[in-house]
Amino acid sequence: MNDTTKILTIQDISCYGQCSITVALPVISAFGIETAILPSAVLSTHTSGFTGFTVRDLTEDLPAIQKHWESEGISFDAIYTGFIASAEQLDYIKDIIDSRLNPDGLVFVDPAMADNGEFYSTFDQEFADKMGELCKLGDYILPNTTEACYILHKPWKPDFTKEEMIEMAKELSDFTKRYVILKGDNHRQKEMGMIVLDKKEDTLNFVYNDKIDYLSHGTGDVFASAFVGSTMIGKTPEAAAKVAGEFTKKAIEKTIGDETHTYGVKFEQAIPELYGLLDKFE
């Protein structure tokens, strides 16, 4: 990375609720990286735990934004995709990657569409299949086990064995240019793990963090944003996964005990501790 590095993140803006762009922008910026945004939709709140929220789908705006960037010569060293509002947007995003990513630029795809064995309310298998095609443009893909199962057309279950996780990661290697970061291994009682697979070097490693029994909306976005930032400043995928996992754990720890804070995690309070994690994990 240098002082001109620019990342584009494509995902929704939830005006209230700590997720998507309102996580990605501050977290990646904390790494000293200029972060541009392309909203896929604008919501009054996120969709978990709120009722009556408003949604403005921005699909029709994407081609015009791309065209303007082309006329201005705007391009990016990395593109990081998160929550995408519609299957139609996936085609536009492919065009943006092809048009606006610098040579040797990196693509990070977080296929944010499902968790705990279920699709988010606006998605289905047809969307998952198109998301799988977007993943194939990614240098890094970051699915959880539910998203992985939908991409692979496999049944999901709450607990996978270590061997099953390894097999799933290997199958996902057909859906990435190089790296699979498969989240959600819980075969160790007191630790939560993820697999880091490098198809080019034919390596597969587990990365573990202490497990916290706490579920919250937005933790996947906290993890992915910290992973992207860590990678872009030169961390190995294993180190970036460790930094991202520990940062997410600290954000959860800042939130536990506050019964009024049910809509996300207090990642902002963990940002000052991020720099110590970067020094700790090489």
Side-chain angles (χ1 to χ4, degrees):
M1 188 191 82
N2 56 54
D3 59 6
T4 64
T5 298
K6 295 180 178 66
I7 289 179
L8 170 66
T9 185
I10 308 173
Q11 46 192 314
D12 73 282
I13 295 176
S14 290
C15 298
Y16 186 83
Q18 295 153 308
C19 65
S20 301
I21 281 177
T22 59
V23 169
L25 181 56
V27 171
I28 298 173
S29 297
F31 287 85
I33 302 170
E34 182 178 341
T35 308
I37 65 170
L38 179 55
S40 59
V42 178
L43 295 82
S44 55
T45 68
H46 63 62
T47 60
S48 177
F50 295 101
T51 59
F53 50 84
T54 66
V55 181
R56 174 75 67 177
D57 187 310
L58 299 180
T59 300
E60 294 182 358
D61 294 272
L62 300 189
I65 292 171
Q66 177 185 340
K67 184 176 181 179
H68 183 224
W69 284 348
E70 289 172 348
S71 70
E72 294 289 340
I74 295 170
S75 61
F76 304 96
D77 301 293
I79 294 177
Y80 155 40
T81 70
F83 185 96
I84 305 305
S86 67
E88 184 181 0
Q89 286 189 356
L90 295 172
D91 292 326
Y92 289 140
I93 290 167
K94 290 177 185 178
D95 289 340
I96 291 167
I97 290 171
D98 183 60
S99 168
R100 298 295 89 208
L101 185 66
N102 289 333
D104 300 322
L106 297 175
V107 175
F108 300 82
V109 178
D110 179 4
M113 60 183 175
D115 204 359
N116 295 314
E118 296 182 350
F119 280 113
Y120 299 149
S121 59
T122 56
F123 300 133
D124 56 19
Q125 186 60 54
E126 182 180 358
F127 181 89
D129 291 341
K130 293 201 71 171
M131 178 60 76
E133 293 303 308
L134 180 65
C135 285
K136 291 178 181 180
L137 301 182
D139 298 280
Y140 299 80
I141 63 170
L142 298 94
N144 59 37
T145 56
T146 302
E147 292 155 348
C149 286
Y150 282 126
I151 289 170
L152 297 171
H153 289 251
K154 298 171 69 75
W156 180 85
K157 57 185 180 179
D159 298 297
F160 290 93
T161 67
K162 182 177 182 179
E163 292 71 24
E164 288 171 331
M165 288 289 292
I166 291 171
E167 181 61 29
M168 196 183 308
K170 289 180 177 179
E171 291 181 40
L172 285 168
S173 67
D174 290 334
F175 291 86
T176 182
K177 287 184 176 180
R178 183 161 184 182
Y179 294 104
V180 175
I181 315 299
L182 176 59
K183 302 170 291 181
D185 171 57
N186 57 6
H187 75 271
R188 289 190 180 185
Q189 185 175 4
K190 295 182 179 181
E191 293 180 302
M192 179 60 72
M194 68 202 84
I195 288 178
V196 178
L197 179 148
D198 180 348
K199 65 186 290 184
K200 180 178 179 180
E201 299 295 333
D202 193 25
T203 61
L204 184 149
N205 295 292
F206 279 84
V207 175
Y208 293 99
N209 301 93
D210 292 338
K211 184 185 296 185
I212 299 179
D213 291 325
Y214 184 86
L215 295 176
S216 175
H217 192 87
T219 52
D221 300 324
V222 172
F223 176 91
S225 300
F227 181 88
V228 170
S230 298
T231 301
M232 292 302 295
I233 65 168
K235 295 294 182 184
T236 66
E238 290 79 11
K242 188 69 175 179
V243 169
E246 289 294 320
F247 178 65
T248 305
K249 180 169 74 74
K250 289 182 180 296
I252 293 171
E253 290 171 344
K254 301 290 184 184
T255 313
I256 290 175
D258 186 346
E259 295 182 359
T260 68
H261 201 99
T262 59
Y263 50 85
V265 291
K266 298 180 180 181
F267 71 91
E268 300 94 340
Q269 295 182 20
I271 285 177
E273 300 182 49
L274 180 59
Y275 307 109
L277 295 175
L278 294 173
D279 292 336
K280 183 177 180 180
F281 301 111
E282 296 298 333

